[in-house]
């Protein structure tokens, strides 16, 4: 299976721009013959899109039947490339940091982050929620799990379920020098606590997130797009 990891630039609170980036990278993945493309945590609206005022944030979040979400589904159906992307989800009155898998234009799996690090939990109320648990899903013949950013640090035991492939979209802001100086290996080892093969992808944002994408295998880096520039890593798993 050929998978593209998009260390793509995002803009906070600019869904139209972020959708244009999703479109750009889906078409690039199509040209590379990839079956799936993966984006970072909260990519659709941008990780720092929330104000922590519920009435404002409710308008920023999107449901899985919203026009923006349907646009991603259309791009997947049009190109034949499956898409995994993070977004701030609204379901009813609840808000989540979520990650969706869209296959050939159809939502087949939606994971909600189980750790609290996505929100300012000292000033948010019960509208801002976490998911109940991680669940294995079947994708192209493999047992898979999704984790978002701090999940693997706060509760790694939830993600050691014997899966064959772990997807790990994040939003982290380590400078490239610090990442190369040892943090990358810490992330590789943390992934190995849960799965032999972990697909890691981070976004790019001005002066905050520096991208980077890796295939971690057995606690080591086996393929990498270095932090510091926007781009796409294509791997076979």
């Amino acid at each position: 299976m050929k998978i593209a990891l998009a260390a793509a630039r995002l803009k906070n609170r600019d869904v139209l721009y972020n959708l244009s980036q999703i479109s750009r990278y889906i078409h690039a993945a199509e040209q590379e013959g990839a079956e799936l493309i993966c984006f970072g945590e909260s990519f659709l609206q941008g990780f720092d899109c929330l104000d922590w005022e519920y009435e404002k944030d409710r308008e920023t979040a999107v449901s899985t039947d919203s026009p923006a979400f349907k646009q991603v589904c259309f791009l997947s159906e049009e190109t034949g490339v499956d898409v995994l992307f993070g977004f701030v989800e609204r379901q009813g009155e609840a808000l989540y940091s979520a990650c969706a898998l869209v296959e050939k234009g159809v939502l087949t799996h939606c994971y909600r982050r189980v750790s609290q690090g996505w929100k300012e939990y000292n000033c948010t109320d019960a509208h801002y929620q976490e998911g109940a648990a991680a669940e294995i899903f079947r994708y192209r013949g493999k047992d898979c799990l999704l984790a978002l950013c701090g999940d693997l640090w706060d509760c790694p035991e939830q993600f050691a379920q014997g899966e064959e492939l772990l997807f790990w979209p994040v939003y982290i802001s380590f400078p490239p020098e610090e990442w190369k100086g040892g943090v990358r290996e810490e992330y590789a080892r943390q992934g190995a606590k849960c799965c032999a093969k972990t697909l890691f992808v981070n976004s790019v944002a001005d002066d905050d997130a520096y991208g980077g994408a890796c295939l971690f295998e057995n606690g080591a880096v086996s393929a990498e797009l270095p932090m510091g520039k926007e781009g796409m890593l294509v791997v076979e798993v």
Side-chain angles (χ1 to χ4, degrees), residues 34-201:
E35 297 156 275
L36 170 68
I37 185 164
C38 305
F39 295 88
E41 183 179 13
S42 299
F43 188 85
L44 183 62
Q45 298 106 319
F47 185 79
D48 292 321
C49 66
L50 299 178
D51 293 298
W52 315 118
E53 297 178 28
Y54 176 68
E55 292 304 324
K56 289 184 180 179
D57 293 343
R58 187 181 185 281
E59 296 305 309
T60 300
V62 299
S63 65
T64 56
D65 62 356
S66 66
F69 199 97
K70 288 179 178 178
Q71 179 63 19
V72 180
C73 293
F74 169 78
L75 289 165
S76 171
E77 183 178 23
E78 178 187 49
T79 59
V81 178
D82 301 336
V83 189
L84 187 148
F85 68 103
F87 68 111
V88 180
E89 180 192 11
R90 181 178 74 239
Q91 186 187 59
E93 297 302 308
L95 306 183
Y96 301 90
S97 177
C99 192
L101 174 62
V102 173
E103 298 183 56
K104 294 180 174 59
V106 178
L107 173 64
T108 59
H109 184 69
C110 189
Y111 167 73
R112 293 165 177 166
R113 180 170 167 165
V114 298
S115 59
Q116 291 186 333
W118 69 281
K119 67 185 184 183
E120 296 290 343
Y121 49 83
N122 291 324
C123 62
T124 52
D125 59 21
H127 291 103
Y128 300 80
Q129 298 185 18
E130 284 70 56
E135 294 183 358
I136 286 179
F137 59 97
R138 195 77 174 160
Y139 178 68
R140 294 187 181 264
K142 294 184 181 293
D143 287 335
C144 302
L145 270 178
L146 255 168
L148 285 173
C149 210
D151 286 343
L152 288 199
W153 299 100
D154 292 358
C155 44
E157 68 284 349
Q158 287 201 34
F159 300 89
Q161 299 187 31
E163 68 275 10
E164 299 169 82
L165 194 61
L166 177 65
F167 295 95
W168 195 7
V170 304
Y171 188 91
I172 56 175
S173 54
F174 296 105
E177 298 77 14
E178 187 175 348
W179 176 253
K180 291 185 292 185
V183 175
R184 173 183 55 189
E185 285 67 29
E186 292 177 17
Y187 272 74
R189 290 191 293 269
Q190 195 68 16
K193 293 179 181 180
C194 304
C195 187
K197 291 185 178 183
T198 300
L199 292 163
F200 166 98
V201 61

Side-chain angles (χ1 to χ4, degrees), residues 2-6 25 29 34-39 232-235:
K2 187 177 283 190
I3 297 176
L5 304 174
Y25 277 93
E35 297 156 275
L36 170 68
I37 185 164
C38 305
F39 295 88
M232 187 172 73
L233 175 69
V234 180
V235 297

